[in-house]
Amino acid sequence: MSISDKVKAALALRGKQNTEAAAILGITPQAFNNKLNRNSFFMADIIKLAEGLNLDIAFTDKDGQRIVFLPSDIEDMKEMENN
């Protein structure tokens, strides 16, 4: 499954449209559609979308152990960057 497919699935999960995702990223709907079509999302885009959609980001190892980053963790990272 491509990153674009996962972004589409996240939007569907939250009942959001592409225009709402574009607003979260601060880009035009056309620019968002270009990202989808080109599968050209940066990690910063994924983090912003997760935050805007109130979703977690997780790393899972081959044994199934997970490290989950919550929206509050993202906020904490932003605060540290600004200090």
Side-chain angles (χ1 to χ4, degrees):
M1 181 181 276
S2 72
I3 297 296
S4 289
D5 289 337
K6 291 177 184 182
V7 167
K8 290 176 190 176
L11 293 174
L13 181 67
R14 290 295 191 227
K16 301 292 183 184
Q17 301 295 316
N18 289 2
T19 54
E20 294 168 287
I24 290 169
L25 294 177
I27 60 177
T28 66
Q30 180 61 42
F32 181 77
N33 287 332
N34 288 342
K35 284 183 172 290
L36 280 176
N37 292 333
R38 296 178 184 144
N39 198 38
S40 61
F41 290 93
F42 294 103
M43 193 61 201
D45 297 328
I46 301 304
I47 291 168
K48 281 183 187 177
L49 285 171
E51 181 181 23
L53 298 172
N54 198 27
L55 295 171
D56 302 336
I57 296 174
F59 295 127
T60 306
D61 73 8
K62 292 177 182 169
D63 296 324
Q65 294 182 348
R66 298 181 78 200
I67 299 170
V68 178
F69 295 89
L70 305 171
S72 60
D73 295 328
I74 295 167
E75 283 300 314
D76 290 344
M77 287 187 286
K78 283 183 184 177
E79 287 179 26
M80 288 190 304
E81 289 175 0
N82 292 330
N83 292 329

